[in-house]
Amino acid sequence: MHIAITGNIGAGKTTLARKLSEHYKWDVLYEAVEGNPYLADFYEDMSRWSFNLQVFFLNSRFSQAQKIRSMHYQTVVQDRTIYEDAFIFAKNLADTGMMEARDYQNYLMLYETITNTIQAPDVIVYLKADLPKLRRQIQKRGRDFEQSITDEYLLNLNGLYENFAQHYIDGPLLTIDVNNLDFESNPEDFGFIIQEMNKTLGYR
């Protein structure tokens, strides 16, 4: 199976992907953050680097999708989905004027060409987190380039995530409200997520 974790910056996707892979003995594919040649520049000047960054992430996600397809007999948990690139991050940049309309249309044509060749995840897990939770997590992990992210930017993304979750029709989507959960440190909180995962996956 292909299990994908989705959610805003700081929602806990990477941590959950790691813990699920350890619990279920699944393979895991992480988002290309470390070593990303555009990310730090993007947070300094979003308008200048938005298209470059989104194309980099789109290519990275497509490469992961191809790898997942080649792993026929293994279950893989993926940190973030290709859908978020187009319908949340790139859309937000276009909506707020930080990506030119012609660049966004060019991006969408490339996105559609790519997604026509790949399959949707078997299950998407959406980690729902409000602004205070996101802020605490961003501060906790201490990436310098993320400290300049504005509240408005995060709130815009949250709105687009909610819209995406409500209208997603390509497979099961499990929503987990993580505002009051500490699944990294609290075994009971992680156990709750495992219970929800088992119900969604049909495990007993």
Side-chain angles (χ1 to χ4, degrees), residues 24-176:
Y24 289 107
K25 310 304 180 187
W26 291 341
D27 289 306
V28 61
L29 292 174
Y30 294 109
E31 185 177 31
V33 172
E34 304 301 329
N36 186 314
Y38 296 109
L39 202 53
D41 289 331
F42 168 75
Y43 285 121
E44 289 292 324
D45 187 349
M46 290 187 176
S47 297
R48 166 64 182 86
W49 296 104
S50 61
F51 182 75
N52 306 67
L53 178 70
Q54 290 307 130
V55 169
F56 177 86
F57 274 129
L58 185 62
N59 181 60
S60 173
R61 222 81 67 188
F62 181 46
S63 178
Q64 286 190 345
Q66 291 177 310
K67 184 174 183 179
I68 290 169
R69 186 168 59 180
S70 72
M71 301 166 73
H72 303 293
Y73 302 107
Q74 295 161 279
T75 293
V76 180
V77 57
Q78 181 186 26
D79 174 4
R80 188 161 273 153
T81 69
I82 198 168
Y83 307 111
E84 294 160 80
D85 294 315
F87 299 125
I88 295 167
F89 287 91
K91 178 172 172 47
N92 179 58
L93 291 167
D95 288 348
T96 56
M98 288 184 284
M99 183 185 290
E100 290 189 15
R102 61 180 177 177
D103 287 340
Y104 184 50
Q105 292 306 313
N106 187 12
Y107 173 87
L108 286 179
M109 288 189 293
L110 179 59
Y111 167 83
E112 289 172 5
T113 299
I114 286 175
T115 52
N116 283 337
T117 69
I118 63 176
Q119 293 182 330
D122 295 290
V123 174
I124 288 182
V125 181
Y126 166 44
L127 301 185
K128 181 176 181 176
D130 295 332
L131 184 62
K133 174 75 170 185
L134 299 176
R135 277 292 177 208
R136 288 195 300 272
Q137 292 294 101
I138 289 170
Q139 185 175 17
K140 178 181 176 181
R141 67 187 181 195
R143 292 174 181 158
D144 290 340
F145 57 82
E146 289 183 341
Q147 305 311 311
S148 62
I149 299 174
T150 66
D151 289 352
E152 181 183 11
Y153 183 73
L154 292 172
L155 289 170
N156 286 344
L157 294 179
N158 259 3
L160 291 168
Y161 267 108
E162 283 295 297
N163 185 67
F164 170 76
Q166 290 171 14
H167 295 93
Y168 181 74
I169 59 172
D170 292 332
L173 186 145
L174 170 63
T175 297
I176 299 177

Side-chain angles (χ1 to χ4, degrees), residues 9 16 20 35 69 114 146 151 155 162 178 185 199 204:
I9 302 163
L16 183 60
L20 290 179
R69 186 168 59 180
I114 286 175
E146 289 183 341
D151 289 352
L155 289 170
E162 283 295 297
V178 296
S185 304
K199 291 177 189 176
R204 294 187 178 183

